[in-house]
Amino acid sequence: MSKHAVKKTGIIERFREYLPVTDKTPIVSLNEGNTPLIPAEALPAELGLKNVRIYYKFEGLNPTGSFKDRGMTMAISKAVEAGSKAVMCASTGNTSASAAAYATRCGLKCYVLIPEGKIAKGKLLQAFRYGAKTLMIRGNFDQALELVKEVTGDGKITLVNSINPYRIEGQKTAAFEIVDDLGDAPEYHAIPVGNAGNITAYWKGYKEYKKAGKSGTLPQMLGFQAAGSAPIVLGHPVAKPETIATAIRIGNPASWQGAVAARDESGGLIDMVTDEEITKAYRFLAEREGVFAEPASAAPVAGVIRLAQRNYFKEGSRIVITLTGAGLKDPDFALSFNDPVYTIEADLDAVKEAVGS
Ligand SMILES: *Cc1c(COP(=O)(O)O)cnc(C)c1O
């Protein structure tokens, strides 16, 4: 190997011994994972938390801009190993972006089913650019997933939604990275809950890493749904889920049981936050922390704010919040705040006047 050979750094290479792969598995990777754990500064100050540390696990810095890449490198690698020629998913956007990228990288066909009109533009354009065949259905995510299950039922096309167990396997590696960075598990882990695959995956990851002796404790899992799409909090499916956080606009989560198990085994909770709270947290993250994440990622930030106001967090504890996707994914939402635009003449006096100097 030359001195300048680039190391393979994807999650399968890094965590091979914890994943269901063999030497024969063809690894399809875009060097996903290894995302930063960014210390929060403005948030603990704003909440008056002097002795509690908060970190953002910023999954928006994955190759296609969301945590879905961790699961997709596994699902697509295993699909190729099994001889599959095509993959399919239902998606609120990020799964389709990720599936399309990893599929095209290894020559698989990719079909995505998306709820018409309810997908953020950045995600839609990714499906197009990575060359997926994109089908808009006149229905919501839950209906799209039911259709995908039926179409892939005979096994000719591989389903790559998170009910594909390899997705969960890949996604659990985010918990491994957090423990590697902190030296132990945090006391609390806050995360948005949509289809509930990710909370299920993190809990699996934390448990496996503890069993392997990498951590001494387990976190409380704190899941947050949007108030208009909160089936787990309400205890029944929601027929017409609504929220501005389109990535968690899901009324009947596929991994419902996994989320409930993560909550109960960890002594945590699953709660809901309003779109107004999500919007406030979304703006706070970008405007005060300098971290631009998409609306769904702000749900657990809103949840942590709520809990802090109730003095929920123990002195001396650490909270990790997963920021699941990048802010650029949803430009329409980002531009919906009537930000002042100053158009001025191209001359020095005009600029000076505008900046007040
Ligand atoms: C998929 C997704 C979620 C929800 O994750 P689940 O595993 O479906 O609970 C949250 N945020 C973003 C940005 C996502 O892409």
Side-chain angles (χ1 to χ4, degrees):
M1 214 193 271
S2 102
K3 172 165 133 219
H4 298 292
V6 174
K7 241 175 63 187
K8 289 184 184 162
T9 57
I11 58 122
I12 299 179
E13 295 294 345
R14 181 167 168 192
F15 298 110
R16 181 175 269 281
E17 61 192 293
Y18 299 95
L19 295 169
V21 291
T22 68
D23 294 344
K24 298 200 177 56
T25 312
I27 295 176
V28 184
S29 171
L30 290 162
N31 288 9
E32 59 294 316
N34 198 25
T35 54
L37 194 62
I38 304 171
E41 292 186 355
L43 186 60
E46 180 81 9
L47 295 172
L49 294 174
K50 290 202 183 62
N51 210 3
V52 173
R53 279 163 295 162
I54 305 178
Y55 301 88
Y56 303 118
K57 178 66 170 166
F58 193 20
E59 291 288 280
L61 295 176
N62 274 295
T64 76
S66 86
F67 74 83
K68 300 297 198 298
D69 294 341
R70 293 180 186 272
M72 210 52 76
T73 181
M74 274 299 303
I76 299 286
S77 296
K78 295 302 280 190
V80 175
E81 184 176 9
S84 177
K85 298 279 178 270
V87 298
M88 187 170 195
C89 63
S91 182
T92 60
N94 282 332
T95 299
S96 54
S98 188
Y102 284 79
T104 202
R105 192 163 170 83
C106 60
L108 291 185
K109 270 197 147 50
C110 179
Y111 303 100
V112 303
L113 244 68
I114 283 169
E116 186 185 33
K118 298 292 182 184
I119 172 177
K121 244 184 216 139
K123 305 176 187 183
L124 181 61
L125 70 85
Q126 284 181 294
F128 287 139
R129 292 281 57 75
Y130 293 130
K133 180 145 190 184
T134 304
L135 312 172
M136 298 279 183
I137 66 151
R138 298 192 186 95
N140 61 29
F141 172 85
D142 304 283
Q143 293 167 303
L145 183 56
E146 280 312 311
L147 289 165
V148 169
K149 281 196 228 169
E150 281 177 41
V151 174
T152 57
D154 64 5
K156 286 198 193 109
I157 301 178
T158 305
L159 176 155
V160 292
N161 280 101
S162 59
I163 48 178
N164 176 327
Y166 297 122
R167 284 274 313 277
I168 305 287
E169 290 297 316
Q171 286 169 209
K172 76 185 179 188
T173 61
F176 296 168
E177 290 178 11
I178 290 165
V179 172
D180 284 349
D181 283 353
L182 292 178
D184 204 342
E187 280 69 26
Y188 307 96
H189 189 109
I191 187 167
V193 175
N195 217 20
N198 214 27
I199 189 172
T200 304
Y202 270 83
W203 183 235
K204 187 170 199 286
Y206 279 123
K207 285 193 295 186
E208 287 183 11
Y209 232 34
K210 177 161 181 283
K211 207 163 166 204
K214 297 277 194 173
S215 69
T217 61
L218 291 169
Q220 275 188 31
M221 298 302 297
L222 311 173
F224 295 96
Q225 302 197 291
S229 310
I232 299 176
V233 181
L234 301 173
H236 57 78
V238 174
K240 290 200 164 63
E242 283 305 339
T243 170
I244 49 105
T246 51
I248 53 173
R249 186 174 170 270
I250 291 175
N252 192 12
S255 297
W256 191 313
Q257 292 316 318
V260 167
R263 177 193 69 193
D264 295 346
E265 290 172 28
S266 75
L269 54 80
I270 296 178
D271 201 350
M272 57 188 179
V273 287
T274 64
D275 278 6
E276 201 184 333
E277 290 173 281
I278 293 172
T279 303
K280 259 181 99 175
Y282 164 88
R283 293 192 63 170
F284 185 91
L285 271 176
E287 293 169 18
R288 301 281 305 283
E289 297 279 28
V291 178
F292 189 25
E294 70 172 277
S297 305
V301 179
V304 164
I305 292 171
R306 238 192 211 202
L307 292 176
Q309 287 163 350
R310 290 188 353 218
N311 282 322
Y312 183 86
F313 301 109
K314 285 190 306 250
E315 285 280 298
S317 60
R318 288 168 300 188
I319 308 166
V320 172
I321 305 176
T322 300
L323 302 182
T324 43
L328 289 173
K329 293 270 192 179
D330 196 342
D332 290 319
F333 189 70
L335 290 172
S336 66
F337 299 99
N338 292 316
D339 293 290
V341 178
Y342 307 97
T343 305
I344 58 169
E345 294 309 317
D347 81 38
L348 189 56
D349 287 339
V351 176
K352 278 185 166 171
E353 193 189 320
V355 302
S357 81

